[in-house]
């Protein structure tokens, strides 16, 4: 099994996703600031993985605090959490994990600071274990939508590398394969960061699941030829009405899927739901460096002086979404009701 992230002896170890597939190297973080930097620089990425990393970062941050009374400890912890929370804006799992860790501290005021530190470490490890179990449950629900022989299109990387393990969209693929179905994956390369080309193909190849790489602008061609049976993608944040923020290009895929009568599924844990937002219009979209658009493998592809835009995510409106697969079940329109019901389910 691919171990995207581990937390052992005060070290958070992550696979360096900026170097895959050429090299499988690890980055060790010993401070909350190093974890924040790893998230910002995409050493670790993907909404659930960012959440797990953040929880471990908060634990490292707590360990470094010298205050021995709760008030001083909690104040410093909050400051560190606020800075970590700014590392990436779109994936709600970051804020979700930080809030969960802060709540653990806040609700255990009676413990000594030493005990609190160990309680926070335990919570971070629980978040990791829960994430894998969540993905497996999501996969079980999702695989009921997949038939033997299906070709699944996916965008970006919503796999083991984007989570603590198993994956969300690729969790549906893995669960389908585990159920004995013959599945093939088409992976959009996902310009500009190439998560599809570099990461999705790498992890499916590791597991021996058939995958073919296509450039983003080819998926309409294959849909129109009826060579894609369904689309499954992940999500970074889902608003109460079912609008989905996911990797830039997802909206384009959803429009093409609708045009070609192909089901468009989103696989995401309940922690990715942000029911405080009425619609996708309120979801903050990260703008990343234009250098990531201007260069491929550090080689410049556009003339000096040319400007490039780089919104890292887009919003797929709910009317293009066939269903949202969560660990608690499958939500369909009207999403305002179905998502609320699944979110409140234990
Ligand atoms: O910029 P990234 O690589 O963090 O974006 C990742 C995605 O958009 C994924 O599809 C999403 O986080 C779901 S991951 C299970």
């Amino acid at each position: 099994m691919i171990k995207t992230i581990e937390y052992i002896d005060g070290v958070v170890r992550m696979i360096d996703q900026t170097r895959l597939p050429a090299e499988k190297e690890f980055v060790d973080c010993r401070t909350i600031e190093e974890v924040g930097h790893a998230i910002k620089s995409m050493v670790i990425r993907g909404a659930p993985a960012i959440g797990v990393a953040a929880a471990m970062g908060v634990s490292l941050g707590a360990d470094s605090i010298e205050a021995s009374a709760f008030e001083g400890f909690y104040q410093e912890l909050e400051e560190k959490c606020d800075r970590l929370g700014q590392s990436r804006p779109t994936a709600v799992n970051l804020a979700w994990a930080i809030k969960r860790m802060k709540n653990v501290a806040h609700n255990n005021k009676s413990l000594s600071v030493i005990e609190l530190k160990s309680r926070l470490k335990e919570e971070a490890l629980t978040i990791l274990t829960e994430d894998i179990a969540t993905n497996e449950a999501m996969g079980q629900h999702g695989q009921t939508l997949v038939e033997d022989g299906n070709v699944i299109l996916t965008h970006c990387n919503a796999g083991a590398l984007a989570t603590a393990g198993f994956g969300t969209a690729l969790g549906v693929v893995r669960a389908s394969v585990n159920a004995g179905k013959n599945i093939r994956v088409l992976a959009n390369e996902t310009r500009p960061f190439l998560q599809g080309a570099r990461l999705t193909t790498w992890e499916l190849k590791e597991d021996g699941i058939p995958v073919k790489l296509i450039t983003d602008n080819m998926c309409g061609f294959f849909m129109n030829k009826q060579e894609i049976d369904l689309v499954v993608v992940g999500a970074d944040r889902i608003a109460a009405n079912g609008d989905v923020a996911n990797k830039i290009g997802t909206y384009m895929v959803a429009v093409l899927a609708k045009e070609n009568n192909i089901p468009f599924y989103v696989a995401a844990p309940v922690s990715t739901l942000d029911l405080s937002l009425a619609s996708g219009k309120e979801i903050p979209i990260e703008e990343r460096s234009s250098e990531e658009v201007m260069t491929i493998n550090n080689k410049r592809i556009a003339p000096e002086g040319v400007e490039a835009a780089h919104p890292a995510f887009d919003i797929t409106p709910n009317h293009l979404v066939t269903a949202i697969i969560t660990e608690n079940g499958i939500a369909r329109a009207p999403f305002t009701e179905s998502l609320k019901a699944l979110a409140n389910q234990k």
Side-chain angles (χ1 to χ4, degrees), residues 42 45-48 88 156-158 162 168 195 234-236 246-247 313:
M42 310 275 277
R45 31 65 50 202
R88 291 194 75 191
C156 194
N157 171 266
T168 58
Q195 290 94 330
D236 285 81
N246 192 47
K247 180 51 52 195
F313 300 93

Side-chain angles (χ1 to χ4, degrees), residues 17 39 42 44-50 88 90-91 93 131 135 138 154-163 167-170 190 193 195 198-199 233-237 245-248 250 267-269 272 286 288 310 312-313:
Q17 299 192 31
I39 292 173
M42 310 275 277
I44 190 152
R45 31 65 50 202
I50 290 171
R88 291 194 75 191
T90 304
N93 305 61
D131 186 58
N135 293 334
M138 205 183 305
T154 192
H155 189 72
C156 194
N157 171 266
L161 289 167
T163 61
T168 58
L170 297 190
T190 321
F193 213 74
Q195 290 94 330
R198 297 188 302 103
L199 308 175
V233 297
D236 285 81
R237 198 186 291 226
N246 192 47
K247 180 51 52 195
I248 190 75
T250 303
T272 300
E286 176 181 12
R288 290 189 66 84
H310 188 185
F313 300 93

Side-chain angles (χ1 to χ4, degrees), residues 2-3 15-16 19-26 202 206:
I2 297 163
K3 278 199 177 155
I15 298 182
D16 186 345
R19 295 171 73 171
L20 283 173
E23 295 149 323
K24 189 175 170 191
E25 295 288 338
F26 294 86
W202 181 81
E206 288 274 300

